[in-house]
């Protein structure tokens, strides 16, 4: 990577090289820096050279975006292997700023081009600044007590899961109006919808006593009417706050955003095969797809759907969430209806397998090299009945056989948080320990549920109560890494000793969703609402934050350990995009 290359020079030489290139305008290529296609310095009248500005290039008439972030001296560089010859539109992401003038740049495959100084101007009009806020910025800006903000954010599905909270902030509803909005939002399928791809899957429930994922809709509505533009306000009566821009390590990433061709799409999960192809489940349509990042080529295949026809007036849920590629590059999907399915890329055919459940978990337990089983959980008694039984089944990917179920949760009362109502316990993300014994996150019990291999299941509680453990993955040292969505922590459980360690992430409400270890033992974490991808250094507890060039609502995080650089892939659920983040180490 460039920084490694440059850091092999002493500091004054490095500064000289960059200055020489920047000041020479349309610089001639220097022999020693041929791998840089474009460089420049970001400045503003307010700050001078600016660190942490995301500089975004998009080929004119193209859809793929590439971005880098300016460093502490305001400098940025695009590597030639991530920026081919062509004409590009230049844009920036830095809350509170915009480009002074629009810019395009032509890159050829020989010279190092310079944008010189990229000048930014401050955005002061709140109605325009509002479009630059992330959902997390909105939560931080909203007035109200912690209890009120908890009402809004700390839900299994919160109001930022299909669109930014900007929609709420800009709306003019009073509390009564908001109750109707919440009633309508409740008719959409949460994981399979975005604001652009609506799937109406349930009839409106009565407003009286309506519950939004464990919270009274009337309480949320009352609070929301205090933060929007209701009552004829022309702008917000609180200052709009934006999160700090990236610094240090957080500026050292190259990001590429690939919109998938079928739009609007909803992409919840993805995985990478042995050749570095990215496979995604389209949650908004009955398709899976593949991106070959070397060529940018997309392919897609229809998926089976076994759901019965819905009631009159409702839509049949389409699309698949979780997707996993095994060591033979067979693709595993939990299709709609109570089945698993595998797809062979060689023959382009599907095989489907029944699961003995009434309702199955949309996630799959991971399939890892050397492990030929994956776990599935599902409800095995009437889901709305007074008794709710959930079992875990081991599914053999070689034979398709489903093992005997392990009883996870029965009709015991589960919710541990008295402020949330009507929530039942369940298993969310599955994995197994090094001995092959089942484990899962149990968000409502705020625990990791573990099987001892003899049919007994124990709950290991998180250190922080009501932490809502969500999704994650086991590393090579028999530690399972997971996020604590309500507690804003990333955590691990040592599967030899049951010891849990929690690492706090700032600020509150960053809402971490999925944790994935890389080959260097660092943990990559998606956050719903901050537009930042996070990386934990487990030795120091430090969290690096990488700001994405687009609004992102990523679910699963995949690390492609076959690539030379650390390469992370994110699905951007609501925008139907695949995002690649590359860092030197
Ligand atoms: C399952 C996805 C989803 C979730 C979760 C969701 N919304 Fe929406 N939202 C939509 C869609 C789709 C639209 C556009 C269609 C519409 O207005 O119904 C929308 C539009 C909106 C709008 C703008 C339209 C209007 O009526 O002003 C507001 C405000 C809004 N949502 C508020 C909320 C609130 C409050 C919550 C949390 C209680 C929420 N949304 C959660 C999908 C969602």
């Amino acid at each position: 990577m460039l920084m490694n290359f440059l850091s092999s020079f002493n500091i004054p030489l490095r500064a000289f090289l960059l200055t020489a290139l920047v000041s020479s305008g349309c610089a001639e290529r220097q022999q020693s820096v041929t791998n840089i296609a474009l460089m420049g310095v970001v400045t503003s009248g307010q700050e001078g050279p600016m660190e942490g500005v995301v500089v975004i290039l998009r080929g004119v008439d193209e859809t793929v975006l590439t971005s880098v972030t300016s460093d502490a001296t305001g400098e940025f560089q695009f590597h030639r292997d991530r920026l081919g010859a062509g004409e590009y539109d230049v844009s920036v992401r830095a809350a509170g700023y915009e480009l002074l003038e629009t810019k395009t740049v032509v890159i050829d495959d020989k010279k190092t081009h310079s944008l010189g100084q990229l000048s930014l101007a401050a955005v002061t009009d709140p109605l325009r600044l509002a479009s630059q806020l992330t959902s997390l910025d909105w939560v931080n800006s909203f007035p109200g007590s912690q209890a009120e903000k908890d009402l809004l954010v700390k839900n299994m599905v919160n109001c930022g899961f299909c669109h930014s909270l900007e929609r709420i902030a800009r709306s003019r509803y009073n509390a009564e109006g908001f109750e109707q909005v919440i009633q309508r939002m409740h008719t959409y399928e949460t994981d399979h919808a975005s604001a652009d791809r609506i799937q109406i899957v349930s009839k409106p429930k009565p407003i009286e006593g309506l519950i939004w994922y464990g919270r009274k809709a009337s309480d949320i509505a009352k609070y929301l009417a205090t933060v929007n533009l209701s009552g004829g306000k022309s702008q917000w009566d609180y200052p709009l706050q934006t999160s700090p821009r990236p610094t240090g390590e957080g500026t050292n990433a190259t990001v590429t955003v690939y919109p998938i061709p079928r739009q609007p799409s909803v992409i919840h999960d993805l995985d990478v095969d042995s050749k570095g192809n990215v496979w995604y489940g389209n949650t908004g349509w009955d398709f899976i797809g593949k991106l070959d990042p070397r060529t940018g080529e997309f392919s897609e295949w229809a998926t089976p759907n076994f759901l019965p026809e819905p009631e009159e007036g409702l839509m049949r849920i389409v699309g698949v969430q979780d997707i996993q590629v095994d060591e033979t590059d067979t693709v595993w999907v939990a299709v709609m209806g109570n089945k698993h399915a595998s797809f062979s890329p060689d023959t382009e055919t599907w095989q489907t397998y029944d699961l003995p459940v009434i309702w199955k978990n949309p996630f799959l337990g991971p399939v890892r090299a050397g492990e030929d089983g994956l776990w599935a959980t599902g409800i095995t008694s009437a889901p709305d009945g007074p008794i709710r039984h959930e079992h875990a089944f081991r599914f053999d990917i070689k034979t398709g056989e489903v093992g005997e179920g392990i009883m996870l949760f029965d009709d015991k009362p589960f919710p541990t948080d008295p402020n949330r109502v009507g929530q039942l316990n369940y298993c969310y993300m599955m994995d197994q320990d090094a001995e092959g014994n089942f484990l899962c996150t149990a968000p409502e019990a705020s625990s990791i549920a573990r099987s001892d291999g003899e049919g007994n299941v124990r709950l290991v509680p998180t250190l922080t109560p009501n932490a809502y453990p969500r999704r994650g993955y086991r590393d090579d040292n028999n530690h399972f890494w997971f996020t604590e969505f309500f507690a804003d922590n990333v955590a691990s459980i040592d599967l030899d000793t049951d010891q849990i360690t929690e690492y706090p992430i700032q600020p509150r409400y960053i809402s971490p969703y999925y944790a994935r270890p890389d080959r260097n033992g660092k943990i990559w974490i998606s956050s719903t609402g901050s537009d930042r991808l996070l990386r934990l250094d487990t030795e120091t507890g430090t969290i690096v934050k990488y700001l994405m060039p687009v609004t992102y609502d990523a679910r699963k995080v995949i690390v492609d350990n076959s690539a030379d650089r650390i390469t992370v892939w994110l699905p951007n659920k609501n925008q139907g995009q695949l995002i690649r983040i590359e860092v030197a180490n």
Side-chain angles (χ1 to χ4, degrees), residues 157-159 161-163 167-168 171 173 178 181-182 184-185 188-190 193-195 198 212 224:
V157 174
N158 68 37
C159 298
F161 265 44
C162 299
H163 49 68
R167 281 184 198 234
I168 291 170
S171 74
Y173 297 108
F178 262 125
V181 171
I182 297 173
R184 188 170 81 250
M185 299 300 137
Y188 304 142
E189 212 299 329
T190 52
S194 68
I198 302 180
W212 175 268
L224 292 183

Short mmCIF file of all heavy atoms in Angstrom, two decimals, residues 157-159 161-163 167-168 171 173 178 181-182 184-185 188-190 193-195 198 212 224, ligand 1:
data_model
loop_
_atom_site.label_atom_id
_atom_site.label_comp_id
_atom_site.label_asym_id
_atom_site.label_seq_id
_atom_site.Cartn_x
_atom_site.Cartn_y
_atom_site.Cartn_z
N VAL A 157 -35.93 -3.99 15.91
CA VAL A 157 -36.02 -3.27 14.64
C VAL A 157 -36.33 -1.83 15.02
O VAL A 157 -37.37 -1.55 15.58
CB VAL A 157 -37.15 -3.83 13.77
CG1 VAL A 157 -37.34 -2.99 12.52
CG2 VAL A 157 -36.87 -5.28 13.41
N ASN A 158 -35.41 -0.92 14.74
CA ASN A 158 -35.73 0.46 15.11
C ASN A 158 -36.08 1.28 13.88
O ASN A 158 -36.02 0.79 12.75
CB ASN A 158 -34.62 1.08 15.98
CG ASN A 158 -33.33 1.32 15.24
OD1 ASN A 158 -33.33 1.68 14.06
ND2 ASN A 158 -32.21 1.11 15.92
N CYS A 159 -36.46 2.53 14.12
CA CYS A 159 -37.00 3.35 13.03
C CYS A 159 -35.93 3.70 11.99
O CYS A 159 -36.25 4.26 10.95
CB CYS A 159 -37.62 4.63 13.58
SG CYS A 159 -39.00 4.32 14.68
N PHE A 161 -34.04 1.33 10.54
CA PHE A 161 -33.65 0.08 9.87
C PHE A 161 -33.98 0.05 8.38
O PHE A 161 -33.47 -0.79 7.66
CB PHE A 161 -34.29 -1.12 10.58
CG PHE A 161 -33.38 -1.77 11.59
CD1 PHE A 161 -32.64 -0.98 12.46
CD2 PHE A 161 -33.25 -3.15 11.67
CE1 PHE A 161 -31.79 -1.56 13.39
CE2 PHE A 161 -32.39 -3.73 12.60
CZ PHE A 161 -31.66 -2.95 13.46
N CYS A 162 -34.88 0.88 7.90
CA CYS A 162 -35.21 0.87 6.47
C CYS A 162 -34.91 2.21 5.82
O CYS A 162 -34.88 2.32 4.61
CB CYS A 162 -36.68 0.54 6.25
SG CYS A 162 -37.14 -1.09 6.87
N HIS A 163 -34.76 3.24 6.62
CA HIS A 163 -34.45 4.58 6.09
C HIS A 163 -33.81 5.38 7.21
O HIS A 163 -33.91 5.03 8.38
CB HIS A 163 -35.71 5.28 5.57
CG HIS A 163 -36.87 5.25 6.51
ND1 HIS A 163 -36.88 5.93 7.70
CD2 HIS A 163 -38.07 4.60 6.45
CE1 HIS A 163 -38.02 5.72 8.32
NE2 HIS A 163 -38.76 4.90 7.60
N ARG A 167 -36.08 11.23 7.81
CA ARG A 167 -37.50 11.26 7.44
C ARG A 167 -38.38 11.65 8.61
O ARG A 167 -39.39 12.34 8.46
CB ARG A 167 -37.97 9.88 6.96
CG ARG A 167 -37.55 9.62 5.57
CD ARG A 167 -38.08 8.29 5.07
NE ARG A 167 -37.28 7.95 3.92
CZ ARG A 167 -37.76 7.66 2.72
NH1 ARG A 167 -39.06 7.60 2.52
NH2 ARG A 167 -36.96 7.40 1.72
N ILE A 168 -37.98 11.16 9.77
CA ILE A 168 -38.76 11.47 10.98
C ILE A 168 -38.54 12.93 11.36
O ILE A 168 -39.48 13.68 11.62
CB ILE A 168 -38.32 10.53 12.12
CG1 ILE A 168 -38.78 9.11 11.79
CG2 ILE A 168 -38.85 11.01 13.47
CD1 ILE A 168 -38.24 8.05 12.69
N SER A 171 -40.42 15.37 9.25
CA SER A 171 -41.89 15.22 9.17
C SER A 171 -42.59 16.24 10.07
O SER A 171 -41.96 16.90 10.89
CB SER A 171 -42.28 13.80 9.58
OG SER A 171 -42.16 13.66 10.98
N TYR A 173 -45.69 15.40 11.73
CA TYR A 173 -46.74 14.71 12.49
C TYR A 173 -46.74 15.12 13.96
O TYR A 173 -45.68 15.33 14.54
CB TYR A 173 -46.52 13.19 12.46
CG TYR A 173 -46.62 12.60 11.08
CD1 TYR A 173 -45.49 12.15 10.42
CD2 TYR A 173 -47.86 12.52 10.44
CE1 TYR A 173 -45.57 11.62 9.15
CE2 TYR A 173 -47.94 11.99 9.17
CZ TYR A 173 -46.79 11.55 8.52
OH TYR A 173 -46.89 11.04 7.27
N PHE A 178 -48.14 10.29 14.37
CA PHE A 178 -47.05 9.31 14.42
C PHE A 178 -47.56 7.92 14.75
O PHE A 178 -47.00 6.92 14.30
CB PHE A 178 -45.98 9.74 15.44
CG PHE A 178 -44.81 10.43 14.79
CD1 PHE A 178 -44.41 11.69 15.21
CD2 PHE A 178 -44.10 9.80 13.77
CE1 PHE A 178 -43.33 12.33 14.61
CE2 PHE A 178 -43.02 10.43 13.17
CZ PHE A 178 -42.65 11.69 13.58
N VAL A 181 -48.42 6.49 11.59
CA VAL A 181 -47.22 6.14 10.81
C VAL A 181 -46.65 4.82 11.34
O VAL A 181 -46.34 3.91 10.56
CB VAL A 181 -46.15 7.27 10.90
CG1 VAL A 181 -44.83 6.82 10.28
CG2 VAL A 181 -46.65 8.52 10.21
N ILE A 182 -46.53 4.69 12.65
CA ILE A 182 -45.95 3.47 13.22
C ILE A 182 -46.83 2.27 12.87
O ILE A 182 -46.33 1.19 12.52
CB ILE A 182 -45.77 3.62 14.75
CG1 ILE A 182 -44.77 4.75 15.04
CG2 ILE A 182 -45.29 2.30 15.37
CD1 ILE A 182 -44.62 5.12 16.50
N ARG A 184 -48.51 1.93 10.18
CA ARG A 184 -48.23 1.59 8.78
C ARG A 184 -46.87 0.91 8.65
O ARG A 184 -46.74 -0.08 7.96
CB ARG A 184 -48.29 2.86 7.92
CG ARG A 184 -48.22 2.58 6.43
CD ARG A 184 -48.53 3.81 5.59
NE ARG A 184 -47.43 4.73 5.43
CZ ARG A 184 -47.34 5.95 5.97
NH1 ARG A 184 -48.31 6.42 6.73
NH2 ARG A 184 -46.29 6.72 5.75
N MET A 185 -45.86 1.43 9.34
CA MET A 185 -44.52 0.83 9.27
C MET A 185 -44.56 -0.63 9.72
O MET A 185 -43.79 -1.45 9.28
CB MET A 185 -43.52 1.61 10.16
CG MET A 185 -43.33 3.05 9.77
SD MET A 185 -42.71 3.26 8.11
CE MET A 185 -43.72 4.61 7.52
N TYR A 188 -44.95 -3.53 7.16
CA TYR A 188 -43.87 -3.88 6.24
C TYR A 188 -43.01 -4.99 6.83
O TYR A 188 -42.75 -5.01 8.03
CB TYR A 188 -42.96 -2.67 5.95
CG TYR A 188 -43.68 -1.45 5.42
CD1 TYR A 188 -43.32 -0.18 5.81
CD2 TYR A 188 -44.74 -1.60 4.52
CE1 TYR A 188 -43.98 0.94 5.32
CE2 TYR A 188 -45.40 -0.49 4.03
CZ TYR A 188 -45.02 0.78 4.43
OH TYR A 188 -45.68 1.88 3.95
N GLU A 189 -42.51 -5.88 5.96
CA GLU A 189 -41.59 -6.91 6.43
C GLU A 189 -40.26 -6.23 6.73
O GLU A 189 -39.68 -5.58 5.86
CB GLU A 189 -41.42 -7.99 5.36
CG GLU A 189 -41.17 -9.39 5.91
CD GLU A 189 -39.92 -9.55 6.75
OE1 GLU A 189 -38.94 -8.84 6.49
OE2 GLU A 189 -39.93 -10.38 7.66
N THR A 190 -39.74 -6.40 7.93
CA THR A 190 -38.63 -5.54 8.36
C THR A 190 -37.33 -5.81 7.62
O THR A 190 -36.64 -4.88 7.22
CB THR A 190 -38.38 -5.70 9.86
OG1 THR A 190 -38.24 -7.09 10.12
CG2 THR A 190 -39.52 -5.15 10.65
N ALA A 193 -37.58 -5.25 3.49
CA ALA A 193 -38.04 -3.98 2.93
C ALA A 193 -36.99 -2.90 3.12
O ALA A 193 -36.16 -2.95 4.01
CB ALA A 193 -39.34 -3.55 3.62
N SER A 194 -37.04 -1.93 2.22
CA SER A 194 -36.33 -0.67 2.43
C SER A 194 -37.37 0.38 2.09
O SER A 194 -38.50 0.04 1.72
CB SER A 194 -35.13 -0.56 1.49
OG SER A 194 -35.59 -0.44 0.16
N ALA A 195 -36.99 1.66 2.18
CA ALA A 195 -37.98 2.68 1.84
C ALA A 195 -38.36 2.59 0.37
O ALA A 195 -39.44 3.03 -0.03
CB ALA A 195 -37.43 4.06 2.18
N ILE A 198 -40.97 -1.93 -0.95
CA ILE A 198 -41.95 -2.18 0.12
C ILE A 198 -42.50 -3.59 0.00
O ILE A 198 -42.84 -4.02 -1.09
CB ILE A 198 -43.10 -1.15 0.03
CG1 ILE A 198 -42.51 0.26 0.13
CG2 ILE A 198 -44.14 -1.41 1.10
CD1 ILE A 198 -43.54 1.36 0.06
N TRP A 212 -44.48 -1.68 19.32
CA TRP A 212 -43.42 -1.70 18.30
C TRP A 212 -42.22 -2.41 18.93
O TRP A 212 -41.50 -1.83 19.72
CB TRP A 212 -43.07 -0.28 17.86
CG TRP A 212 -41.91 -0.22 16.90
CD1 TRP A 212 -40.59 -0.07 17.23
CD2 TRP A 212 -41.95 -0.33 15.47
NE1 TRP A 212 -39.81 -0.09 16.10
CE2 TRP A 212 -40.61 -0.25 14.99
CE3 TRP A 212 -42.98 -0.49 14.54
CZ2 TRP A 212 -40.29 -0.33 13.65
CZ3 TRP A 212 -42.65 -0.56 13.20
CH2 TRP A 212 -41.32 -0.48 12.76
N LEU A 224 -41.41 11.24 19.45
CA LEU A 224 -41.03 11.69 18.10
C LEU A 224 -41.64 13.04 17.75
O LEU A 224 -41.02 13.84 17.03
CB LEU A 224 -41.42 10.64 17.05
CG LEU A 224 -40.64 9.33 17.13
CD1 LEU A 224 -41.06 8.39 16.01
CD2 LEU A 224 -39.14 9.57 17.08
C1 LIG B 1 -39.58 -2.18 7.44
C2 LIG B 1 -38.99 -0.97 6.99
C3 LIG B 1 -39.33 0.29 7.78
C4 LIG B 1 -39.14 0.52 9.10
C5 LIG B 1 -38.54 -0.42 10.13
C6 LIG B 1 -39.61 1.86 9.36
N1 LIG B 1 -40.03 2.43 8.20
FE1 LIG B 1 -40.67 4.33 7.92
N2 LIG B 1 -40.86 4.02 5.95
C7 LIG B 1 -40.74 2.79 5.32
C8 LIG B 1 -41.19 2.90 3.96
C9 LIG B 1 -41.26 1.75 2.97
C10 LIG B 1 -41.57 4.24 3.76
C11 LIG B 1 -42.16 4.87 2.49
C12 LIG B 1 -43.63 4.45 2.35
C13 LIG B 1 -44.49 5.02 3.43
O1 LIG B 1 -44.43 6.24 3.71
O2 LIG B 1 -45.23 4.22 4.04
C14 LIG B 1 -41.35 4.93 5.02
C15 LIG B 1 -41.56 6.27 5.25
C16 LIG B 1 -41.50 6.88 6.49
C17 LIG B 1 -41.78 8.28 6.73
C18 LIG B 1 -42.05 9.33 5.65
C19 LIG B 1 -43.43 9.20 5.13
C20 LIG B 1 -44.39 9.98 5.96
O3 LIG B 1 -45.49 9.46 6.20
O4 LIG B 1 -44.06 11.09 6.42
C21 LIG B 1 -41.73 8.46 8.08
C22 LIG B 1 -41.98 9.75 8.84
C23 LIG B 1 -41.40 7.19 8.67
N3 LIG B 1 -41.24 6.26 7.68
C24 LIG B 1 -41.29 6.98 10.03
C25 LIG B 1 -40.91 5.77 10.61
C26 LIG B 1 -40.89 5.51 12.04
C27 LIG B 1 -41.33 6.49 13.10
C28 LIG B 1 -40.40 4.25 12.20
C29 LIG B 1 -40.20 3.49 13.50
C30 LIG B 1 -41.36 3.34 14.33
C31 LIG B 1 -40.17 3.71 10.87
N4 LIG B 1 -40.49 4.64 9.94
C32 LIG B 1 -39.65 2.44 10.61
C33 LIG B 1 -40.24 1.64 5.87
C34 LIG B 1 -39.90 1.50 7.20
#
